[in-house]
Amino acid sequence: MHVLVTGGAGYIGSHTVLQLLEEGHEVSIVDNFSNSSPESIRRVNSLAGRSAHLRSVDLLNQQELTKIFADTQPDAVIHFAGLKAVGESVSEPLKYYRNNVTGTLNLLDAMEAVDCRTLVFSSSATVYGESTALPLIESTPRNATNPYGRTKLHIEEMLEELAASDPRWSIANLRYFNPVGAHTSGLIGEDPQGTPNNLMPYVAQVAIGRREKVHVFGGDYPTADGTGVRDYIHVLDLAAGHLAALKYLRESAGAHTWNLGTGTGSSVLEVIEAFARVSGKEVPYKIVERRSGDVAENYANAEKARLELGWKAEHGLEQMVEDMWRWQKGNPTGFGPIDAFGMTDEELDIFLNR
Ligand code: NAD
Ligand code: UFG
C-alpha cells in the first residue's frame, strides 16, 4: 500500500513509519516539524534501508495539502499530526481546536478529493476523562476534561458521523494509553522540547543528570503505594497496532474503535524504581501536590484489539525502560538542533521536498 502518514516525523509516527517501510509499504510523510525534527526520518530511512518521502507541510495549509494528495494518490492515511500538551491546551484552547480539529477537517477534504477513504486516527485514552470503571473498555462513556481531550473526542465523533454517512469510509479510532520506550536500536525515540510533561521522559532526564529530581504528583491516591497508576505501552507495540488496524480496514468499512494498552497498570514509584534498576543510576524523587486533572488509576481492557485485530502488547515495563534508557544515553539532547544534521541548507531543502 501507499500510506500517507501525517505527523510521521514525531515520536509515535517515526516508529510506525519504520514498521511500514519494513513491511514493504510505500510511505509519504506530511509534517510541519512543530514538535519534531527531520533527523528522525533520516534515521528511520537508514534503519529501514529504504526511504519515506518527506513533505514539510502544515495541515492548516489546505492548498498545499490538496496538492500533495493529488501528487501522491495514497491508498490510506495514518493521522498522527496534532498538538498534545494538556496544560498548553488549557491556556491556548483555540490553538488546539484549530490545529487538531481544523487540521483533521482539511485532511478529510484532501482525502475525499482523491477518493482515499481509509483512515487510522490517533485518539487517546484521555477521551475516557475521569471514568472510574476499570479497566476501561471502548464502550465506556466518553467525557474528556480538557481542551486537548475534547479535540480528540470531537474528532472521534466527526469520524463516526462521516463513516455513518458514507459506507465507502473505513476508519479506526485508536485510543492509546501511555506510550513510552524507544526503538531497540537507540536511534529514534521521544524528543520532548523543553521540560517534559510526561513521567517517563522526565524520569529519563533525571537518570541522565539533566534534571535534579522527579516530582511525584500525589502520594495519597487510593492505589497500592499512593501514587498514580497508568497503563504504559511500548511504542513498538503501539506502532504494530497501526499496521494491524490498517489491515483490518482493508476488509471492513465503517468506524471502529480500539484501545491500545497492555491491560496492566504501573505506579509512578514502580516506574522510578524500574528506571533506577535498569540505569544503575540514582533517581531522586520528592512527593508533591497532586497535579490538577489527574485520575488515580487508569488501564485498558485491550481484549477488543486482541480479538478483532489479532494484536496484543508484547513488551513489559522492564523492556520499555531499557529501550528508553538506551535512547536517552545515546542521545542525551535528543535529535539536536536542525543545523546539526551535517546537511547544507540546500541538501535539507531537497530532503524535505521544498
Ligand atoms: P509528536 O508531537 O511527537 O508528533 C506529532 C507530529 O505532528 C509532530 O511531528 C508535529 O511536528 C506534527 N504536527 C503537529 N501539528 C501539525 C500540523 N498542523 N501539520 C503538520 N504536522 C503537524 O506526538 P506523538 O507523541 O507522536 O503523538 C502522535 C499523536 O498521538 C498525536 O495526535 C497525539 O495527540 C496522540 N497521542 C499521543 C499520546 C502520547 O502520550 N504521546 C497519547 C495519546 C495520543
Ligand atoms: N507524573 C508525575 N510526575 C511527573 C509527570 C507525571 O508524578 O513529572 C505522574 C502523573 O501524575 C500520572 C503519571 O505520572 O500519575 C503519568 O503521567 P503522564 O503525564 O506521563 O501521563 P498522563 O496519564 O497524565 O497522560 C498521558 C498523555 C495524554 C494521554 C494520556 C492517555 O500525556 O496525552 O496519557 O492516557 F491522553
Side-chain angles (χ1 to χ4, degrees):
M1 282 173 110
H2 183 172
V3 186
L4 187 142
V5 183
T6 76
Y11 171 45
I12 306 167
S14 56
H15 290 81
T16 306
V17 167
L18 178 56
Q19 288 187 15
L20 287 167
L21 290 172
E22 286 170 347
E23 294 271 305
H25 297 288
E26 194 183 336
V27 182
S28 294
I29 297 170
V30 169
D31 205 302
N32 66 357
F33 304 111
S34 55
N35 196 38
S36 58
S37 152
E39 172 66 4
S40 67
I41 296 306
R42 202 179 61 78
R43 294 187 186 186
V44 163
N45 290 345
S46 99
L47 284 167
R50 47 193 290 264
S51 294
H53 314 283
L54 187 54
R55 307 284 188 126
S56 166
V57 173
D58 195 311
L59 289 190
L60 297 178
N61 185 340
Q62 177 79 73
Q63 218 179 348
E64 273 288 304
L65 196 61
T66 307
K67 189 171 172 305
I68 285 175
F69 273 82
D71 290 348
T72 53
Q73 301 278 334
D75 301 304
V77 171
I78 305 184
H79 179 31
F80 292 105
L83 298 174
K84 61 169 185 176
V86 173
E88 188 187 49
S89 82
V90 174
S91 54
E92 295 183 73
L94 296 186
K95 179 173 163 186
Y96 274 67
Y97 286 110
R98 191 173 300 113
N99 194 78
N100 294 4
V101 180
T102 307
T104 303
L105 276 173
N106 288 349
L107 176 69
L108 295 170
D109 283 338
M111 289 177 71
E112 275 202 312
V114 295
D115 213 8
C116 171
R117 290 187 171 81
T118 302
L119 175 69
V120 178
F121 170 60
S122 296
S123 189
S124 167
T126 197
V127 300
Y128 294 119
E130 288 171 3
S131 177
T132 47
L134 293 173
L136 292 160
I137 60 171
E138 289 82 353
S139 55
T140 305
R142 289 173 288 197
N143 167 35
T145 55
N146 56 66
Y148 163 70
R150 275 188 285 274
T151 67
K152 295 293 180 191
L153 199 157
H154 291 326
I155 295 167
E156 279 199 2
E157 288 174 339
M158 195 162 81
L159 296 175
E160 285 157 7
E161 285 163 0
L162 179 62
S165 74
D166 182 342
R168 290 173 299 172
W169 281 93
S170 300
I171 295 174
N173 286 318
L174 301 184
R175 293 183 184 154
Y176 312 158
F177 279 68
N178 290 51
V180 296
H183 189 258
T184 41
S185 64
L187 288 176
I188 54 170
E190 188 173 11
D191 181 15
Q193 308 298 304
T195 308
N197 296 310
N198 298 116
L199 179 67
M200 277 271 196
Y202 200 104
V203 175
Q205 292 191 4
V206 171
I208 202 88
R210 261 176 86 181
R211 298 187 190 275
E212 191 194 339
K213 58 174 168 296
V214 182
H215 297 98
V216 176
F217 298 144
D220 57 353
Y221 281 111
T223 57
D225 64 20
T227 66
V229 168
R230 294 291 182 276
D231 186 341
Y232 296 96
I233 173 168
H234 199 299
V235 66
L236 293 177
D237 284 327
L238 199 56
H242 291 73
L243 274 76
L246 260 190
K247 210 163 145 196
Y248 184 96
L249 293 184
R250 290 179 85 165
E251 274 135 43
S252 304
H256 308 268
T257 301
W258 291 287
N259 281 342
L260 295 183
T262 64
T264 304
S266 304
S267 73
V268 176
L269 292 185
E270 282 169 340
V271 168
I272 292 175
E273 277 156 23
F275 234 100
R277 196 167 54 242
V278 164
S279 66
K281 304 277 181 195
E282 243 189 88
V283 181
Y285 69 86
K286 181 178 171 204
I287 296 184
V288 298
E289 287 292 290
R290 292 180 179 190
R291 183 172 64 179
S292 113
D294 275 354
V295 293
E297 193 167 10
N298 142 353
Y299 52 91
N301 175 325
E303 270 302 286
K304 188 165 181 276
R306 189 180 67 80
L307 292 171
E308 295 178 357
L309 302 179
W311 171 91
K312 147 172 171 306
E314 303 287 347
H315 301 81
L317 185 65
E318 200 83 4
Q319 186 73 53
M320 301 180 208
V321 170
E322 268 175 30
D323 292 340
M324 189 110 180
W325 180 236
R326 188 179 306 108
W327 154 252
Q328 181 69 60
K329 260 193 318 186
N331 307 268
T333 54
F335 290 114
I338 199 155
D339 56 3
F341 298 167
M343 281 193 220
T344 63
D345 286 351
E346 214 171 37
E347 284 165 341
L348 191 62
D349 282 345
I350 293 167
F351 183 59
L352 295 177
N353 288 300
R354 282 201 290 224

